[in-house]
Amino acid sequence: MSEELLNKYFKGLCTPEEKLLVISYLNETEDLPAHLLGKNEWDETVEAVIPDHKTAEMFEVIKKQTISGRKRLNWFNITTAAAVILAVLGLVFLGLNRNQPKPDLAKNKVQNIKQAIAVNWKSVVNYTEQDQQLTLPDKSTVKIYPGGELRYTIPFVNRNREIYLKGKGFFQVTKDKKHPFVVYAKGVSTTALGTSFTITALEKSKLIKVQLHTGKVWVKSIDSTHHVKSFSEILMPGRELVYNSRLNKVSVMDTKVPVIQQEDRLTILNFTQAPLAEVFASLQKHYNVKIIYNPADLEEMSFTGSLKLAQPITTILKEITELNKLNHTKTTKGYLISKK
């Protein structure tokens, strides 16, 4: 473990990957370089001062144990006197130290860090050919696409809600302003407070994509070891960030909509941050069905994306309700939308 990396860790400058390496090292070692105790901590350490009356008492004990009339002490008496002196010094310093503030040593810091970082890792890998739905401990949901992997710590919520992603995943984040939701993927972090977005970071691909559906996210580079270009972008709904790791290039654009022929334009509906009530009204008109819902259940819910009207309405309703944690039920009059 290099001293440079240890210094970065104690200064809070490590990337998540570097932090994990240092944490593993700290859990296995008892001794750290002495210089890791900062100068300010040494300067603030209070020295024990022996009062004058204690000094006089010590001197009297020394005189009694080392001088007996005019006779020279033999070796045994000298040894005994030295032992008594050491014992007295030890008792005096022990008594003084009880009343003195204890210095904050680096070793104690390391032990406290070890206790604070006692966590376990949970990993979920989608080995199937179907999308896999996962509910996190904070009630956020993740759709893991085939071949994708998700890792997070237990306990999940500490200062931040942190996720490590390989492959592609769709995230529906539960709002929690005190604990930002952060996804790390191939040297890029995406931070959200409560929103929905899709990240694509396939292992063999040179592209990393972050597509925002609702809310707002902050996307930035965090990997200094692989020479990722430094960038920091705030995405709004309907925007997409693409990082090309081979060219070390970042671009932000509107979400791409497939090119369609003029005669097919009526078969696709495009929405950008549209209220769900508006989306359901368009579907009712096109499919000539009744969609029943409680308007209060749809407050603050919106949809951004393209709907292919060639699909059955059940498929479209399933996609929209899953994104917003709603249920859809077929009835004799049409479809009923309700909260889960």
Side-chain angles (χ1 to χ4, degrees):
M1 179 60 56
S2 67
E3 293 185 3
E4 180 183 1
L5 190 54
L6 285 173
N7 286 328
K8 285 180 65 179
Y9 176 82
F10 284 109
K11 292 178 182 179
L13 301 177
C14 280
T15 66
E17 289 83 359
E18 292 172 337
K19 182 168 67 174
L20 292 177
L21 290 175
V22 176
I23 288 173
S24 177
Y25 169 73
L26 293 177
N27 283 329
E28 295 175 358
T29 186
E30 294 294 335
D31 299 318
L32 287 175
H35 70 276
L36 288 182
L37 182 61
K39 180 178 182 300
N40 292 336
E41 294 174 285
W42 282 113
D43 294 341
E44 293 172 0
T45 301
V46 180
E47 297 181 356
V49 180
I50 303 176
D52 292 339
H53 70 279
K54 289 291 183 181
T55 303
E57 291 178 6
M58 292 166 59
F59 181 69
E60 290 299 325
V61 172
I62 294 172
K63 285 173 57 179
K64 292 179 181 179
Q65 297 297 328
T66 56
I67 301 175
S68 179
R70 297 181 179 180
K71 295 182 179 180
R72 184 181 299 273
L73 293 174
N74 58 29
W75 179 251
F76 177 79
N77 290 334
I78 293 175
T79 304
T80 303
V84 172
I85 293 171
L86 290 175
V88 172
L89 287 173
L91 291 173
V92 171
F93 278 103
L94 180 61
L96 290 175
N97 284 337
R98 288 179 178 174
N99 299 322
Q100 297 289 350
K102 295 182 179 179
D104 188 12
L105 300 178
K107 186 173 182 180
N108 292 336
K109 280 192 173 184
V110 172
Q111 291 175 348
N112 292 336
I113 291 172
K114 289 180 181 179
Q115 294 175 357
I117 58 179
V119 296
N120 295 316
W121 284 92
K122 181 171 183 178
S123 176
V124 180
V125 182
N126 186 358
Y127 293 106
T128 72
E129 296 182 357
Q130 305 294 326
D131 300 340
Q132 183 175 344
Q133 194 81 9
L134 174 68
T135 300
L136 297 172
D138 70 333
K139 306 305 179 183
S140 297
T141 59
V142 186
K143 181 189 291 184
I144 308 174
Y145 289 80
E149 179 184 359
L150 208 66
R151 292 187 301 118
Y152 58 91
T153 59
I154 300 296
F156 177 55
V157 178
N158 191 3
R159 283 194 314 167
N160 297 334
R161 297 172 285 172
E162 296 182 319
I163 297 288
Y164 295 83
L165 171 71
K166 290 182 181 179
K168 183 177 180 180
F170 168 79
F171 297 84
Q172 182 76 40
V173 180
T174 299
K175 291 184 179 180
D176 184 350
K177 293 183 179 181
K178 294 183 180 180
H179 302 96
F181 190 98
V182 187
V183 181
Y184 301 102
K186 297 182 71 172
V188 175
S189 72
T190 302
T191 303
L193 295 179
T195 184
S196 59
F197 54 93
T198 299
I199 298 178
T200 305
L202 303 179
E203 186 174 359
K204 296 183 179 180
S205 175
K206 63 182 179 181
L207 300 179
I208 302 171
K209 299 180 181 180
V210 179
Q211 181 182 357
L212 181 62
H213 307 298
T214 61
K216 184 189 299 183
V217 294
W218 176 28
V219 186
K220 65 175 182 175
S221 58
I222 50 99
D223 190 349
S224 60
T225 60
H226 291 83
H227 308 291
V228 173
K229 179 180 179 179
S230 177
F231 61 86
S232 179
E233 297 284 348
I234 301 294
L235 294 187
M236 303 301 289
R239 302 282 284 173
E240 179 181 50
L241 180 144
V242 179
Y243 171 67
N244 189 318
S245 59
R246 183 176 300 172
L247 301 179
N248 204 19
K249 182 179 179 181
V250 178
S251 57
V252 179
M253 64 197 79
D254 290 328
T255 302
K256 292 183 178 179
V257 177
V259 178
I260 54 178
Q261 300 298 326
Q262 181 67 32
E263 59 271 18
D264 295 330
R265 288 192 182 275
L266 294 179
T267 65
I268 293 182
L269 293 177
N270 297 316
F271 298 95
T272 301
Q273 201 71 0
L276 279 190
E278 179 183 322
V279 176
F280 289 149
S282 298
L283 293 176
Q284 286 185 111
K285 181 178 180 180
H286 178 81
Y287 286 96
N288 194 26
V289 297
K290 187 71 174 177
I291 301 178
I292 305 169
Y293 56 85
N294 183 352
D297 291 343
L298 306 187
E299 288 183 358
E300 299 183 359
M301 291 186 181
S302 60
F303 177 77
T304 297
S306 300
L307 298 178
K308 296 181 180 180
L309 301 180
Q311 304 177 89
I313 188 172
T314 303
T315 302
I316 295 177
L317 289 178
K318 180 181 179 181
E319 178 183 350
I320 295 175
T321 53
E322 283 184 352
L323 288 176
N324 293 280
K325 297 182 180 179
L326 297 170
N327 286 322
H328 74 284
T329 306
K330 184 172 177 55
T331 67
T332 56
K333 296 182 180 181
Y335 292 89
L336 175 64
I337 308 298
S338 60
K339 281 189 173 182
K340 288 187 176 180

